[in-house]
Amino acid sequence: MGGRGGWWRGKSTPAKVETYTRWSFHTFPFIEVATFALPAFGYVPAPVNWILFLLVSTHAAVAAVTASLTLDWTRGRRPLPVRLLWALGTATVVIAVVSLVVALHGPRGADNGAAAGTVFVGVLSFGIGTLALAVRGTRRMVYGVLGAAVGAGAVAVPAGVSAPGAAVAAGAVVLAAGFFTFTSAFSVWLLNAVYELDEARETRARLAVVEERLRFGRDLHDVMGRNLAVVALKSELAVQLARRGRPEAVEQMVEVQRIARETQREVREVVRGYREADLRTELAGAQGVLTAAGIDCEVSGPVTGLPAEIQSALGWVVREATTNVLRHGDAARCAVSLRVAEGRVTLTVENDGAPGIDSGSGTDTAEPGRGSGLAGLRERLREVDGVLRAGPAGSDLFRLTAEVPLPPDSVPEQAPAPEPGGLPRPVPHPVSEVTS
């Protein structure tokens, strides 16, 4: 899917939040100019109105660049732009004071009071709010807002503003600067929280893989450790007997051969058990993993009573489909249903938030070192005379369907009774890990 929709859907959830945050700060300069600079043309004569407009526009541009670079610093992508922050702070103070003086001492008879209040308060508020992006700590942010308010009152009185007017200006700075400071702090906190949650989910997936490897290693150690020790002892004994010319050496080597074959058989059983996927376990694991990732997952249909080879093939389908839901798109809901009818068992995995994927051709190209994906599933299903179909099922919807014929003597349990709405009740499964 091209265009903006494809560009947006191609982003991960943290990248979407970051894009939204950045563009929010990119709109602040336009808000600052439209709110505090453009109104000057309505009640301040030239050339004072142009002076105010240029001052506020310059401040807005500097604040936009500072916000963009400081957001990069919060994500650890560049060092803190200290010089630019000092430049913004200096420009905020200078432009606020200059705008106040120009507005108060402009052409005689001009209504400069509104310009003095709006430009002065607006420049200080946006400047303090942008500088808050580089501050870590709520207390320091509060001190910054209060300091700006006190400074505004202290500057306004010498410039010619009355004491009540200076107090009003200080209060306006507290409210406006406090609002923009809170917005900046909350935006950074939310952005960091989303990235941390995404990293935690990736860490959980890596730990699950590591734990499965450790389990497989323990199984191999249990199978081969004792047998290899016996093989080593008997081989050493056979060597000693052979050196002495004893005929018992042949018997020992025959025993070594027997143990080696037995070990080979046991290793094959371990590998076979590791490669076979149990359907009930895979459904429970898929439901647990997707739920942990914030995706609403519903599982329905009969599970028991299916032949072992069909359960293994469909279990691999569930495993691969779950991986695709997590890796691709931005799903909020996933439904897994199992249906037995007319001598065939049909597994359907449907999720929303799918990017524009065209799988109608039925061909897949596996990436080197990344597994075979749907092509590998088709090969597994072909061994049990099954077929696999995958592709879009409407806008923002992706559907994967696997159909496998049942042997004539296979009679699985009936599906649970449907709910009043006509949908089958979800089969409860305990949350468990998906082995991979």
Side-chain angles (χ1 to χ4, degrees):
M1 181 180 298
R4 296 182 179 178
W7 167 78
W8 179 256
R9 291 183 179 180
K11 290 178 174 290
S12 63
T13 299
K16 290 179 179 179
V17 175
E18 181 174 356
T19 302
Y20 171 79
T21 302
R22 287 184 177 276
W23 280 104
S24 297
F25 281 100
H26 290 167
T27 59
F28 282 178
F30 300 97
I31 297 176
E32 182 177 0
V33 173
T35 305
F36 304 110
L38 293 180
F41 289 96
Y43 48 77
V44 179
V48 176
N49 51 11
W50 282 103
I51 294 176
L52 295 176
F53 176 79
L54 293 177
L55 289 175
V56 175
S57 299
T58 302
H59 181 267
V62 176
V65 176
T66 304
S68 179
L69 297 181
T70 308
L71 282 175
D72 288 338
W73 168 73
T74 60
R75 297 302 313 144
R77 297 169 186 165
R78 66 167 65 242
L80 182 65
V82 179
R83 294 182 179 179
L84 192 58
L85 289 169
W86 276 106
L88 176 61
T90 304
T92 299
V93 174
V94 172
I95 293 175
V97 173
V98 171
S99 63
L100 179 62
V101 173
V102 170
L104 290 176
H105 302 282
R108 183 173 301 179
D111 185 10
N112 296 326
T118 56
V119 175
F120 184 68
V121 173
V123 169
L124 283 177
S125 302
F126 274 92
I128 296 300
T130 304
L131 291 173
L133 292 172
V135 178
R136 290 179 175 175
T138 305
R139 182 176 299 178
R140 294 182 179 181
M141 295 181 183
V142 173
Y143 289 162
V145 173
L146 295 179
V150 173
V155 171
V157 173
V161 180
S162 62
V168 171
V173 170
V174 169
L175 295 177
F179 171 77
F180 287 114
T181 298
F182 171 79
T183 301
S184 299
F186 180 77
S187 299
V188 172
W189 173 84
L190 180 62
L191 181 62
N192 291 333
V194 171
Y195 270 105
E196 289 174 2
L197 288 175
D198 188 67
E199 292 173 0
R201 185 175 67 175
E202 293 180 358
T203 301
R204 177 180 178 180
R206 288 195 297 268
L207 290 177
V209 173
V210 171
E211 184 175 353
E212 181 60 22
R213 290 175 178 174
L214 291 175
R215 184 196 68 80
F216 185 62
R218 288 194 299 267
D219 291 346
L220 284 180
H221 178 270
D222 294 341
V223 169
M224 301 186 65
R226 179 184 65 83
N227 291 351
L228 289 178
V230 175
V231 167
L233 291 175
K234 287 188 173 293
S235 299
E236 183 178 357
L237 177 60
V239 170
Q240 297 295 332
L241 293 175
R243 288 176 177 175
R244 299 175 185 177
R246 302 283 296 273
E248 291 88 349
V250 177
E251 297 178 1
Q252 295 297 328
M253 292 307 299
V254 170
E255 182 67 12
V256 168
Q257 185 181 33
R258 185 192 66 80
I259 295 175
R261 289 177 177 174
E262 181 68 16
T263 303
Q264 186 180 28
R265 183 187 62 80
E266 292 179 355
V267 170
R268 286 176 178 173
E269 290 180 355
V270 171
V271 174
R272 185 180 302 110
Y274 179 76
R275 289 180 177 175
E276 289 181 353
D278 179 70
L279 182 56
R280 179 181 292 274
T281 302
E282 294 300 330
L283 288 171
Q287 193 172 35
V289 169
L290 293 177
T291 302
I295 301 174
D296 183 19
C297 180
E298 296 181 359
V299 179
S300 61
V303 177
T304 59
L306 298 176
E309 62 274 11
I310 293 180
Q311 287 202 37
S312 178
L314 295 180
W316 276 101
V317 174
V318 173
R319 181 183 299 183
E320 181 67 23
T322 303
T323 303
N324 289 339
V325 172
L326 292 174
R327 285 183 179 178
H328 310 300
D330 189 15
R333 177 184 175 276
C334 180
V336 183
S337 62
L338 199 65
R339 183 172 57 89
V340 179
E342 299 179 356
R344 300 180 69 86
V345 55
T346 302
L347 173 69
T348 303
V349 181
E350 192 173 85
N351 65 276
D352 61 357
I357 302 175
D358 185 8
S359 301
S361 60
T363 60
D364 308 315
T365 302
E367 297 181 24
R370 299 292 296 273
S372 57
L374 299 183
L377 292 182
R378 288 190 172 92
E379 293 178 1
R380 292 180 181 274
L381 290 174
R382 197 174 297 121
E383 296 177 358
V384 291
D385 299 327
V387 294
L388 181 73
R389 291 187 294 271
S395 61
D396 199 38
L397 198 66
F398 190 85
R399 180 182 299 153
L400 185 146
T401 305
E403 291 186 3
V404 181
L406 290 172
D409 56 347
S410 176
V411 182
E413 296 182 2
Q414 297 298 320
E419 294 285 350
L423 296 176
R425 292 193 183 98
V427 177
H429 298 295
V431 176
S432 63
E433 295 179 346
V434 178
T435 57
S436 57

